[in-house]
mmCIF file of all heavy atoms in Angstrom:
data_model
loop_
_atom_site.group_PDB
_atom_site.id
_atom_site.type_symbol
_atom_site.label_atom_id
_atom_site.label_comp_id
_atom_site.label_asym_id
_atom_site.label_seq_id
_atom_site.Cartn_x
_atom_site.Cartn_y
_atom_site.Cartn_z
ATOM 1 N N ASP B 1 -3.897 -4.398 -8.350
ATOM 2 C CA ASP B 1 -5.241 -4.172 -8.878
ATOM 3 C C ASP B 1 -6.175 -3.605 -7.829
ATOM 4 O O ASP B 1 -7.064 -2.831 -8.132
ATOM 5 C CB ASP B 1 -5.821 -5.464 -9.453
ATOM 6 C CG ASP B 1 -6.120 -6.518 -8.401
ATOM 7 O OD1 ASP B 1 -5.333 -6.654 -7.433
ATOM 8 O OD2 ASP B 1 -7.135 -7.229 -8.536
ATOM 9 N N LEU B 2 -5.949 -3.986 -6.556
ATOM 10 C CA LEU B 2 -6.945 -3.707 -5.533
ATOM 11 C C LEU B 2 -6.288 -3.547 -4.177
ATOM 12 O O LEU B 2 -5.355 -4.278 -3.851
ATOM 13 C CB LEU B 2 -7.918 -4.896 -5.479
ATOM 14 C CG LEU B 2 -8.967 -4.913 -4.386
ATOM 15 C CD1 LEU B 2 -10.116 -3.985 -4.743
ATOM 16 C CD2 LEU B 2 -9.483 -6.324 -4.181
ATOM 17 N N ILE B 3 -6.793 -2.632 -3.384
ATOM 18 C CA ILE B 3 -6.436 -2.578 -1.968
ATOM 19 C C ILE B 3 -7.694 -2.912 -1.176
ATOM 20 O O ILE B 3 -8.743 -2.299 -1.355
ATOM 21 C CB ILE B 3 -5.844 -1.221 -1.537
ATOM 22 C CG1 ILE B 3 -5.490 -1.248 -0.057
ATOM 23 C CG2 ILE B 3 -6.762 -0.082 -1.869
ATOM 24 C CD1 ILE B 3 -4.756 -0.017 0.431
ATOM 25 N N ALA B 4 -7.553 -3.919 -0.337
ATOM 26 C CA ALA B 4 -8.637 -4.301 0.569
ATOM 27 C C ALA B 4 -8.165 -3.983 1.984
ATOM 28 O O ALA B 4 -8.293 -2.858 2.441
ATOM 29 C CB ALA B 4 -8.989 -5.774 0.377
ATOM 30 N N THR B 5 -7.529 -4.943 2.655
ATOM 31 C CA THR B 5 -7.047 -4.697 4.016
ATOM 32 C C THR B 5 -5.660 -4.074 4.052
ATOM 33 O O THR B 5 -5.221 -3.610 5.096
ATOM 34 C CB THR B 5 -7.021 -6.002 4.826
ATOM 35 O OG1 THR B 5 -6.089 -6.901 4.214
ATOM 36 C CG2 THR B 5 -8.404 -6.627 4.903
ATOM 37 N N GLY B 6 -4.944 -4.086 2.924
ATOM 38 C CA GLY B 6 -3.639 -3.435 2.834
ATOM 39 C C GLY B 6 -2.456 -4.296 3.224
ATOM 40 O O GLY B 6 -1.315 -3.856 3.140
ATOM 41 N N GLY B 7 -2.690 -5.529 3.637
ATOM 42 C CA GLY B 7 -1.609 -6.387 4.100
ATOM 43 C C GLY B 7 -0.543 -6.685 3.065
ATOM 44 O O GLY B 7 0.659 -6.586 3.349
ATOM 45 N N THR B 8 -0.945 -7.037 1.862
ATOM 46 C CA THR B 8 0.020 -7.363 0.814
ATOM 47 C C THR B 8 0.869 -6.147 0.465
ATOM 48 O O THR B 8 2.089 -6.238 0.359
ATOM 49 C CB THR B 8 -0.698 -7.869 -0.461
ATOM 50 O OG1 THR B 8 -1.513 -8.985 -0.122
ATOM 51 C CG2 THR B 8 0.297 -8.268 -1.525
ATOM 52 N N LEU B 9 0.226 -5.007 0.296
ATOM 53 C CA LEU B 9 0.959 -3.799 -0.081
ATOM 54 C C LEU B 9 1.878 -3.313 1.034
ATOM 55 O O LEU B 9 2.982 -2.835 0.759
ATOM 56 C CB LEU B 9 -0.013 -2.706 -0.516
ATOM 57 C CG LEU B 9 -0.651 -2.965 -1.880
ATOM 58 C CD1 LEU B 9 -1.873 -2.087 -2.080
ATOM 59 C CD2 LEU B 9 0.356 -2.763 -2.993
ATOM 60 N N ALA B 10 1.448 -3.440 2.285
ATOM 61 C CA ALA B 10 2.316 -3.058 3.399
ATOM 62 C C ALA B 10 3.552 -3.957 3.425
ATOM 63 O O ALA B 10 4.680 -3.479 3.635
ATOM 64 C CB ALA B 10 1.562 -3.135 4.720
ATOM 65 N N ALA B 11 3.361 -5.247 3.183
ATOM 66 C CA ALA B 11 4.491 -6.181 3.142
ATOM 67 C C ALA B 11 5.414 -5.861 1.965
ATOM 68 O O ALA B 11 6.642 -5.880 2.098
ATOM 69 C CB ALA B 11 3.988 -7.619 3.055
ATOM 70 N N ALA B 12 4.830 -5.553 0.812
ATOM 71 C CA ALA B 12 5.622 -5.202 -0.370
ATOM 72 C C ALA B 12 6.439 -3.933 -0.121
ATOM 73 O O ALA B 12 7.620 -3.864 -0.467
ATOM 74 C CB ALA B 12 4.712 -5.023 -1.583
ATOM 75 N N ALA B 13 5.832 -2.936 0.492
ATOM 76 C CA ALA B 13 6.553 -1.699 0.814
ATOM 77 C C ALA B 13 7.710 -2.001 1.764
ATOM 78 O O ALA B 13 8.805 -1.455 1.617
ATOM 79 C CB ALA B 13 5.597 -0.679 1.422
ATOM 80 N N GLY B 14 7.470 -2.882 2.714
ATOM 81 C CA GLY B 14 8.521 -3.276 3.640
ATOM 82 C C GLY B 14 9.699 -3.930 2.943
ATOM 83 O O GLY B 14 10.860 -3.686 3.299
ATOM 84 N N LEU B 15 9.425 -4.739 1.924
ATOM 85 C CA LEU B 15 10.501 -5.375 1.157
ATOM 86 C C LEU B 15 11.326 -4.331 0.412
ATOM 87 O O LEU B 15 12.555 -4.397 0.388
ATOM 88 C CB LEU B 15 9.933 -6.396 0.167
ATOM 89 C CG LEU B 15 9.392 -7.686 0.755
ATOM 90 C CD1 LEU B 15 8.768 -8.543 -0.346
ATOM 91 C CD2 LEU B 15 10.479 -8.457 1.486
ATOM 92 N N VAL B 16 10.653 -3.395 -0.227
ATOM 93 C CA VAL B 16 11.345 -2.326 -0.953
ATOM 94 C C VAL B 16 12.278 -1.585 0.003
ATOM 95 O O VAL B 16 13.453 -1.345 -0.310
ATOM 96 C CB VAL B 16 10.334 -1.353 -1.605
ATOM 97 C CG1 VAL B 16 11.021 -0.081 -2.092
ATOM 98 C CG2 VAL B 16 9.595 -2.040 -2.753
ATOM 99 N N GLU B 17 11.768 -1.235 1.151
ATOM 100 C CA GLU B 17 12.555 -0.482 2.125
ATOM 101 C C GLU B 17 13.690 -1.319 2.717
ATOM 102 O O GLU B 17 14.779 -0.797 2.971
ATOM 103 C CB GLU B 17 11.632 0.061 3.213
ATOM 104 C CG GLU B 17 10.716 1.136 2.648
ATOM 105 C CD GLU B 17 9.512 1.454 3.515
ATOM 106 O OE1 GLU B 17 9.263 0.746 4.524
ATOM 107 O OE2 GLU B 17 8.809 2.426 3.168
ATOM 108 N N LYS B 18 13.469 -2.593 2.891
ATOM 109 C CA LYS B 18 14.510 -3.496 3.404
ATOM 110 C C LYS B 18 15.708 -3.515 2.456
ATOM 111 O O LYS B 18 16.850 -3.661 2.881
ATOM 112 C CB LYS B 18 13.923 -4.901 3.566
ATOM 113 C CG LYS B 18 14.778 -5.883 4.304
ATOM 114 C CD LYS B 18 13.983 -7.167 4.504
ATOM 115 C CE LYS B 18 14.659 -8.090 5.481
ATOM 116 N NZ LYS B 18 13.836 -9.275 5.762
ATOM 117 N N LEU B 19 15.433 -3.352 1.169
ATOM 118 C CA LEU B 19 16.499 -3.340 0.160
ATOM 119 C C LEU B 19 17.080 -1.937 -0.051
ATOM 120 O O LEU B 19 17.947 -1.754 -0.895
ATOM 121 C CB LEU B 19 15.976 -3.903 -1.158
ATOM 122 C CG LEU B 19 15.617 -5.389 -1.121
ATOM 123 C CD1 LEU B 19 14.977 -5.819 -2.434
ATOM 124 C CD2 LEU B 19 16.843 -6.242 -0.815
ATOM 125 N N GLY B 20 16.590 -0.946 0.686
ATOM 126 C CA GLY B 20 17.134 0.402 0.584
ATOM 127 C C GLY B 20 16.414 1.300 -0.391
ATOM 128 O O GLY B 20 16.844 2.430 -0.645
ATOM 129 N N GLY B 21 15.304 0.831 -0.953
ATOM 130 C CA GLY B 21 14.513 1.660 -1.865
ATOM 131 C C GLY B 21 13.546 2.531 -1.102
ATOM 132 O O GLY B 21 13.335 2.371 0.104
ATOM 133 N N LYS B 22 12.950 3.486 -1.828
ATOM 134 C CA LYS B 22 11.943 4.375 -1.243
ATOM 135 C C LYS B 22 10.661 4.246 -2.053
ATOM 136 O O LYS B 22 10.674 4.380 -3.277
ATOM 137 C CB LYS B 22 12.425 5.826 -1.277
ATOM 138 C CG LYS B 22 11.412 6.792 -0.681
ATOM 139 C CD LYS B 22 11.920 8.213 -0.688
ATOM 140 C CE LYS B 22 11.007 9.190 0.004
ATOM 141 N NZ LYS B 22 9.603 9.103 -0.285
ATOM 142 N N VAL B 23 9.569 3.968 -1.368
ATOM 143 C CA VAL B 23 8.272 3.873 -2.036
ATOM 144 C C VAL B 23 7.765 5.291 -2.278
ATOM 145 O O VAL B 23 7.433 6.007 -1.342
ATOM 146 C CB VAL B 23 7.258 3.060 -1.201
ATOM 147 C CG1 VAL B 23 5.896 3.044 -1.887
ATOM 148 C CG2 VAL B 23 7.775 1.642 -0.972
ATOM 149 N N GLU B 24 7.730 5.685 -3.536
ATOM 150 C CA GLU B 24 7.271 7.029 -3.909
ATOM 151 C C GLU B 24 5.758 7.113 -3.991
ATOM 152 O O GLU B 24 5.176 8.151 -3.683
ATOM 153 C CB GLU B 24 7.866 7.445 -5.258
ATOM 154 C CG GLU B 24 9.340 7.744 -5.207
ATOM 155 C CD GLU B 24 9.677 8.934 -4.325
ATOM 156 O OE1 GLU B 24 8.984 9.974 -4.400
ATOM 157 O OE2 GLU B 24 10.637 8.827 -3.541
ATOM 158 N N LYS B 25 5.126 6.030 -4.439
ATOM 159 C CA LYS B 25 3.673 6.044 -4.586
ATOM 160 C C LYS B 25 3.190 4.603 -4.703
ATOM 161 O O LYS B 25 3.914 3.733 -5.170
ATOM 162 C CB LYS B 25 3.263 6.855 -5.816
ATOM 163 C CG LYS B 25 1.769 7.137 -5.887
ATOM 164 C CD LYS B 25 1.482 8.353 -6.747
ATOM 165 C CE LYS B 25 0.018 8.721 -6.600
ATOM 166 N NZ LYS B 25 -0.234 10.076 -7.025
ATOM 167 N N ILE B 26 1.956 4.395 -4.294
ATOM 168 C CA ILE B 26 1.269 3.118 -4.472
ATOM 169 C C ILE B 26 0.033 3.417 -5.302
ATOM 170 O O ILE B 26 -0.782 4.267 -4.908
ATOM 171 C CB ILE B 26 0.882 2.492 -3.117
ATOM 172 C CG1 ILE B 26 2.138 2.223 -2.271
ATOM 173 C CG2 ILE B 26 0.067 1.216 -3.328
ATOM 174 C CD1 ILE B 26 1.860 1.804 -0.842
ATOM 175 N N ILE B 27 -0.101 2.739 -6.450
ATOM 176 C CA ILE B 27 -1.267 2.972 -7.301
ATOM 177 C C ILE B 27 -2.047 1.676 -7.498
ATOM 178 O O ILE B 27 -1.483 0.592 -7.587
ATOM 179 C CB ILE B 27 -0.907 3.621 -8.652
ATOM 180 C CG1 ILE B 27 -0.026 2.712 -9.514
ATOM 181 C CG2 ILE B 27 -0.271 4.985 -8.449
ATOM 182 C CD1 ILE B 27 0.117 3.184 -10.944
ATOM 183 N N LEU B 28 -3.363 1.855 -7.575
ATOM 184 C CA LEU B 28 -4.277 0.724 -7.667
ATOM 185 C C LEU B 28 -5.396 1.050 -8.632
ATOM 186 O O LEU B 28 -5.746 2.219 -8.799
ATOM 187 C CB LEU B 28 -4.902 0.472 -6.291
ATOM 188 C CG LEU B 28 -3.887 0.442 -5.170
ATOM 189 C CD1 LEU B 28 -4.373 1.171 -3.975
ATOM 190 C CD2 LEU B 28 -3.494 -0.958 -4.891
ATOM 191 N N LEU B 29 -5.965 0.018 -9.193
ATOM 192 C CA LEU B 29 -7.154 0.230 -10.006
ATOM 193 C C LEU B 29 -8.360 0.480 -9.096
ATOM 194 O O LEU B 29 -9.129 1.398 -9.320
ATOM 195 C CB LEU B 29 -7.418 -0.972 -10.920
ATOM 196 C CG LEU B 29 -8.622 -0.820 -11.840
ATOM 197 C CD1 LEU B 29 -8.443 0.355 -12.795
ATOM 198 C CD2 LEU B 29 -8.878 -2.101 -12.609
ATOM 199 N N MET B 30 -8.499 -0.338 -8.026
ATOM 200 C CA MET B 30 -9.676 -0.260 -7.174
ATOM 201 C C MET B 30 -9.289 -0.235 -5.702
ATOM 202 O O MET B 30 -8.298 -0.837 -5.310
ATOM 203 C CB MET B 30 -10.590 -1.467 -7.408
ATOM 204 C CG MET B 30 -11.149 -1.560 -8.802
ATOM 205 S SD MET B 30 -12.270 -2.972 -8.984
ATOM 206 C CE MET B 30 -11.126 -4.342 -9.083
ATOM 207 N N GLU B 31 -10.141 0.410 -4.919
ATOM 208 C CA GLU B 31 -9.979 0.449 -3.472
ATOM 209 C C GLU B 31 -11.314 0.134 -2.816
ATOM 210 O O GLU B 31 -12.335 0.692 -3.189
ATOM 211 C CB GLU B 31 -9.520 1.837 -3.036
ATOM 212 C CG GLU B 31 -9.404 1.999 -1.550
ATOM 213 C CD GLU B 31 -8.878 3.361 -1.136
ATOM 214 O OE1 GLU B 31 -8.545 4.183 -2.018
ATOM 215 O OE2 GLU B 31 -8.806 3.594 0.078
ATOM 216 N N LEU B 32 -11.280 -0.784 -1.862
ATOM 217 C CA LEU B 32 -12.453 -1.085 -1.045
ATOM 218 C C LEU B 32 -12.281 -0.337 0.272
ATOM 219 O O LEU B 32 -11.697 -0.841 1.227
ATOM 220 C CB LEU B 32 -12.571 -2.594 -0.810
ATOM 221 C CG LEU B 32 -12.640 -3.464 -2.072
ATOM 222 C CD1 LEU B 32 -12.712 -4.937 -1.704
ATOM 223 C CD2 LEU B 32 -13.791 -3.058 -2.965
ATOM 224 N N ALA B 33 -12.763 0.897 0.307
ATOM 225 C CA ALA B 33 -12.501 1.801 1.430
ATOM 226 C C ALA B 33 -13.020 1.271 2.755
ATOM 227 O O ALA B 33 -12.426 1.531 3.808
ATOM 228 C CB ALA B 33 -13.087 3.183 1.134
ATOM 229 N N GLY B 34 -14.104 0.512 2.722
ATOM 230 C CA GLY B 34 -14.692 -0.012 3.946
ATOM 231 C C GLY B 34 -13.799 -0.980 4.695
ATOM 232 O O GLY B 34 -14.017 -1.241 5.883
ATOM 233 N N LEU B 35 -12.783 -1.526 4.032
ATOM 234 C CA LEU B 35 -11.864 -2.467 4.691
ATOM 235 C C LEU B 35 -10.652 -1.762 5.294
ATOM 236 O O LEU B 35 -9.792 -2.398 5.889
ATOM 237 C CB LEU B 35 -11.437 -3.561 3.713
ATOM 238 C CG LEU B 35 -12.586 -4.485 3.291
ATOM 239 C CD1 LEU B 35 -12.131 -5.460 2.218
ATOM 240 C CD2 LEU B 35 -13.148 -5.233 4.484
ATOM 241 N N LYS B 36 -10.566 -0.449 5.110
ATOM 242 C CA LYS B 36 -9.572 0.409 5.769
ATOM 243 C C LYS B 36 -8.118 0.036 5.491
ATOM 244 O O LYS B 36 -7.250 0.175 6.351
ATOM 245 C CB LYS B 36 -9.828 0.450 7.270
ATOM 246 C CG LYS B 36 -11.232 0.937 7.622
ATOM 247 C CD LYS B 36 -11.433 1.067 9.099
ATOM 248 C CE LYS B 36 -12.829 1.390 9.513
ATOM 249 N NZ LYS B 36 -13.507 2.454 8.880
ATOM 250 N N GLY B 37 -7.831 -0.412 4.272
ATOM 251 C CA GLY B 37 -6.468 -0.753 3.901
ATOM 252 C C GLY B 37 -5.502 0.413 3.948
ATOM 253 O O GLY B 37 -4.312 0.231 4.222
ATOM 254 N N ARG B 38 -6.005 1.608 3.714
ATOM 255 C CA ARG B 38 -5.134 2.797 3.771
ATOM 256 C C ARG B 38 -4.525 2.989 5.151
ATOM 257 O O ARG B 38 -3.448 3.560 5.271
ATOM 258 C CB ARG B 38 -5.909 4.049 3.382
ATOM 259 C CG ARG B 38 -6.022 4.242 1.901
ATOM 260 C CD ARG B 38 -6.720 5.566 1.606
ATOM 261 N NE ARG B 38 -6.975 5.675 0.198
ATOM 262 C CZ ARG B 38 -6.289 6.469 -0.614
ATOM 263 N NH1 ARG B 38 -5.319 7.215 -0.149
ATOM 264 N NH2 ARG B 38 -6.582 6.521 -1.895
ATOM 265 N N GLU B 39 -5.224 2.535 6.177
ATOM 266 C CA GLU B 39 -4.690 2.682 7.529
ATOM 267 C C GLU B 39 -3.367 1.935 7.685
ATOM 268 O O GLU B 39 -2.468 2.401 8.375
ATOM 269 C CB GLU B 39 -5.708 2.199 8.572
ATOM 270 C CG GLU B 39 -6.905 3.120 8.672
ATOM 271 C CD GLU B 39 -7.958 2.643 9.654
ATOM 272 O OE1 GLU B 39 -7.715 1.656 10.391
ATOM 273 O OE2 GLU B 39 -9.042 3.261 9.682
ATOM 274 N N LYS B 40 -3.248 0.764 7.046
ATOM 275 C CA LYS B 40 -1.986 0.004 7.093
ATOM 276 C C LYS B 40 -0.908 0.683 6.266
ATOM 277 O O LYS B 40 0.266 0.363 6.406
ATOM 278 C CB LYS B 40 -2.201 -1.412 6.566
ATOM 279 C CG LYS B 40 -2.680 -2.367 7.605
ATOM 280 C CD LYS B 40 -2.440 -3.798 7.177
ATOM 281 C CE LYS B 40 -2.994 -4.722 8.219
ATOM 282 N NZ LYS B 40 -4.054 -5.554 7.751
ATOM 283 N N LEU B 41 -1.302 1.581 5.386
ATOM 284 C CA LEU B 41 -0.356 2.246 4.488
ATOM 285 C C LEU B 41 -0.184 3.722 4.846
ATOM 286 O O LEU B 41 0.241 4.516 4.012
ATOM 287 C CB LEU B 41 -0.833 2.092 3.042
ATOM 288 C CG LEU B 41 -0.970 0.649 2.568
ATOM 289 C CD1 LEU B 41 -1.628 0.595 1.208
ATOM 290 C CD2 LEU B 41 0.372 -0.058 2.559
ATOM 291 N N ALA B 42 -0.494 4.064 6.083
ATOM 292 C CA ALA B 42 -0.316 5.442 6.540
ATOM 293 C C ALA B 42 1.144 5.840 6.318
ATOM 294 O O ALA B 42 2.052 5.068 6.570
ATOM 295 C CB ALA B 42 -0.695 5.562 8.010
ATOM 296 N N GLY B 43 1.348 7.023 5.801
ATOM 297 C CA GLY B 43 2.706 7.482 5.519
ATOM 298 C C GLY B 43 3.111 7.279 4.064
ATOM 299 O O GLY B 43 4.154 7.782 3.639
ATOM 300 N N TYR B 44 2.318 6.544 3.306
ATOM 301 C CA TYR B 44 2.582 6.354 1.874
ATOM 302 C C TYR B 44 1.560 7.147 1.070
ATOM 303 O O TYR B 44 0.426 7.343 1.498
ATOM 304 C CB TYR B 44 2.471 4.876 1.479
ATOM 305 C CG TYR B 44 3.508 3.999 2.132
ATOM 306 C CD1 TYR B 44 3.171 3.164 3.184
ATOM 307 C CD2 TYR B 44 4.829 4.002 1.693
ATOM 308 C CE1 TYR B 44 4.116 2.356 3.795
ATOM 309 C CE2 TYR B 44 5.781 3.203 2.295
ATOM 310 C CZ TYR B 44 5.414 2.381 3.344
ATOM 311 O OH TYR B 44 6.355 1.584 3.944
ATOM 312 N N ASP B 45 1.976 7.568 -0.119
ATOM 313 C CA ASP B 45 1.083 8.236 -1.063
ATOM 314 C C ASP B 45 0.341 7.142 -1.826
ATOM 315 O O ASP B 45 0.949 6.414 -2.610
ATOM 316 C CB ASP B 45 1.915 9.112 -2.004
ATOM 317 C CG ASP B 45 1.075 9.897 -2.988
ATOM 318 O OD1 ASP B 45 -0.172 9.811 -2.941
ATOM 319 O OD2 ASP B 45 1.679 10.607 -3.819
#
């Protein structure tokens, strides 16, 4: 639903990759840009 600091999504992406999957995209309803969560997700769409 939301990206704030990006910690949960970065961890989730790590799990996908640990299992051999590839994260094609991350989609959210809302983003709180001031918390810079995208920085933790650099390299992901």
